[in-house]
Amino acid sequence: MNQSIRKYFKGIAAKRLSEVEIRPSRSNQHEFNGTSMMRELLGSERRVLETTFLFISDDENSKASEDSTTTWYDAREKHSTRIEYRLYYKDVAVLSKVNKDDLLVFCLLESGKALVILAPKDSTIEKQVLWLFGLLEVDRKFIVKNFDTENLEISFARNYILESIGFEVQVEESNFIDLILAKFGGTFPSTEVFSTFSRSTLTGVSAIDDPDLALILWMQQEEKLFKVLEKYLVEEKLKKGFGNDGVDVDDFINYSLSIHQRRKSRAGWAFDHHVAEVLRQNGVLFSRQSSTEGKNKPDYIFPSIQHYKDPAYLDGLLTMLALKTTAKDRWRQILPEANRIKVKNLLTLEPSISIDQTNEMKNASVKLVVPKEVKLSYTQDQQDEILDMRMFISEVLLKQNSV
C-alpha cells in the first residue's frame, strides 16, 4: 500500500505571485494576503514558523534555497469586528529569482515547520508541483488543501516529484536485508545482476499481461532493495568513520557525493535493464546501444542494428527508442540519433512535462512513451499524443510481424 502525502505535509496553500508581493522595495509589503481557509490550516493565533524558501526550475543549476521565518497574523487583531490575516516574510534573496505570476506553494510540514516552493510559470516543475498536490491551476488568491481531510497517495509519479524537490521518501521496513547480504555480501553487485535479483523477489508480475505495471513495480522494488542495502552499507561506514582518524571531513564529503552519484547512475541502469526485460517477455526483437552513424548509439533499435544497416530494409519498418528517467531539455540529445528513422520515440518516467515542452517535442518529431500510471499526470490533450508501454510494444510488433 502506498504511503499518503499526509506523512510529510499537513496541508498547502498555493497562489500566483503578484508584483507587489515579490518586489517589496516598491511596496514595502513583505507579505501575502491570507484567506479564511488558511485559518483552518494555520489557526487564528499569531504564529511564527521556521520556513525554507525553495526556488526550483527546469534548469537544475538554478535551484536555490534559503532558511528564514514566516509569520501568520491578523493585521486587524485590535479591531473589534474586522479580521485580515496575512503571511509576513523577511527579506529573502531567493525571491529575486521569481517573477509575476510564478507559482508559490506554502507548505505546512508534518514537522511543524514550513516550506515555500517557488516555480516559474509554465515550467515543467510548476506543472509537477501542481499535480503533486492535486491542483489543476491557481490564481492570485490562495487555494488551500488540508491533507487531514483529503488523502493523496504517494504513487510512483508523486514519489518522483517529491524526490526532485528534495524529499527523501522513506521506504517501508524490509525483511530482505538478510537475503541481500547472503547473496551479495557487503557490496553492491553489478547493475544488471541487481535488477535481475530485484525482479526475482516479486511474484505475480507479468510484463505480458501489463507491461506498464510490470515496469513500474520492478522499478519500485529495485529502488526499495537498493535503499535497504545502501542504508546497511552507510551505517557500516559511519561505524568505521572517515579517514585514518575517523573524522576526515574531505573523506566524508567525497563519500556523500559518491552516494548521490551512485543513486543517479543506478536508477538509469535499472530503467534500461527492466525495459529490456519487458521487451523480451513480449517477444520484441531489438539491439541495445549499437552504433548507427558516427558515435551515435541509440538505446534501442528495432528490430535490430543489422536491419538498420541494411539499405534494402524499409525505413518505415525501423523503430528507435531512447530512455531518459528525466526528460526536461535532455530530450534534444536524441535528435541526431538514427538518421534513417524520422520519428524518435522517447521513453521517460518524468511526470507532467509542461505543454510547451511536449509541443516542442512533437514539432521535432519526438514521440513520448510514458508508463500508464505516470501518463495520468499529463493533461488529457497531452495523453492523446503519448504512447504507453503496451501501445508502443504493439506498434513495434506490428512492424516486426509484417516482414
Side-chain angles (χ1 to χ4, degrees), residues 98-369:
V98 296
N99 296 297
K100 176 184 173 184
D101 290 332
D102 283 354
L103 178 68
L104 176 144
V105 182
F106 175 87
C107 309
L108 182 61
L109 305 180
E110 179 59 33
S111 64
K113 297 181 180 180
L115 170 68
V116 173
I117 302 172
L118 303 156
K121 180 177 172 57
D122 294 330
S123 63
T124 289
I125 190 63
E126 177 211 55
K127 299 305 179 190
Q128 290 176 343
V129 170
L130 286 171
W131 186 83
L132 171 67
F133 296 121
L135 298 168
L136 294 176
E137 188 49 274
V138 295
D139 56 25
R140 293 185 187 172
K141 185 177 181 180
F142 274 116
I143 293 176
V144 177
K145 290 244 179 179
N146 190 324
F147 298 126
D148 281 332
T149 56
E150 180 174 353
N151 179 51
L152 291 174
E153 285 193 345
I154 301 179
S155 61
F156 182 89
R158 283 201 167 90
N159 181 84
Y160 181 108
I161 298 168
L162 283 170
E163 293 196 344
S164 74
I165 62 177
F167 281 83
E168 178 81 16
V169 179
Q170 299 173 2
V171 299
E172 297 176 1
E173 288 299 319
S174 169
N175 59 358
F176 283 106
I177 186 59
D178 291 338
L179 177 63
I180 294 171
L181 293 178
K183 191 169 184 64
F184 305 120
T187 59
F188 274 108
S190 71
T191 59
E192 187 163 12
V193 167
F194 199 71
S195 292
T196 301
F197 167 74
S198 299
R199 291 194 298 270
S200 73
T201 62
L202 280 179
T203 59
V205 179
S206 170
I208 299 174
D209 293 340
D210 195 333
D212 294 273
L213 180 61
L215 179 58
I216 292 297
L217 290 177
W218 287 340
M219 288 294 293
Q220 287 178 321
Q221 183 72 349
E222 177 154 357
E223 181 182 23
K224 180 167 82 171
L225 298 186
F226 173 85
K227 287 184 176 180
V228 167
L229 179 54
E230 181 186 63
K231 180 181 178 183
Y232 171 84
L233 295 176
V234 170
E235 288 176 348
E236 291 299 302
K237 177 66 176 175
L238 290 174
K239 290 176 184 177
K240 296 177 181 177
F242 300 89
N244 295 329
D245 57 1
V247 291
D248 188 288
V249 174
D250 289 337
D251 187 27
F252 171 77
I253 293 173
N254 290 335
Y255 184 71
S256 300
L257 292 173
S258 70
I259 291 174
H260 177 71
Q261 186 56 42
R262 181 171 58 196
R263 286 183 177 183
K264 289 179 63 176
S265 174
R266 283 197 165 252
W269 281 110
F271 188 31
D272 190 6
H273 298 322
H274 297 314
V275 168
E277 185 62 20
V278 168
L279 296 172
R280 288 191 197 99
Q281 288 195 21
N282 281 277
V284 177
L285 303 176
F286 59 86
S287 295
R288 291 166 77 181
Q289 287 289 320
S290 298
S291 297
T292 50
E293 299 84 19
K295 295 183 179 180
N296 289 321
K297 290 185 177 181
D299 291 312
Y300 289 81
I301 290 289
F302 307 88
S304 73
I305 192 63
Q306 289 77 24
H307 290 88
Y308 182 88
K309 292 187 174 182
D310 179 0
Y313 195 79
L314 295 176
D315 291 355
L317 295 178
L318 295 167
T319 306
M320 168 258 192
L321 180 67
L323 272 57
K324 291 193 181 297
T325 54
T326 300
K328 293 192 169 66
D329 276 337
R330 296 172 62 234
W331 64 268
R332 301 177 196 278
Q333 297 169 358
I334 75 172
L335 296 180
E337 298 177 354
N339 291 340
R340 289 188 63 185
I341 303 173
K342 181 180 178 182
V343 176
K344 319 292 187 183
N345 293 284
L346 172 60
L347 174 58
T348 184
L349 299 173
E350 181 155 17
S352 199
I353 296 174
S354 71
I355 294 173
D356 286 348
Q357 283 275 26
T358 54
N359 283 341
E360 283 189 50
M361 292 179 190
K362 182 179 178 180
N363 292 335
S365 296
V366 173
K367 187 80 172 177
L368 268 182
V369 184

Side-chain angles (χ1 to χ4, degrees), residues 32-54:
F32 309 108
N33 292 327
T35 64
S36 58
M37 289 185 66
M38 289 181 71
R39 291 172 61 195
E40 298 177 14
L41 184 64
L42 293 171
S44 300
E45 301 298 320
R46 176 181 286 261
R47 187 174 182 181
V48 180
L49 298 125
E50 294 181 39
T51 304
T52 297
F53 286 78
L54 172 67

Side-chain angles (χ1 to χ4, degrees), residues 390-402:
R390 183 183 294 281
M391 295 164 68
F392 175 76
I393 289 169
S394 296
E395 283 195 5
V396 174
L397 286 176
L398 183 63
K399 293 180 183 180
Q400 181 178 307
N401 296 332
S402 67

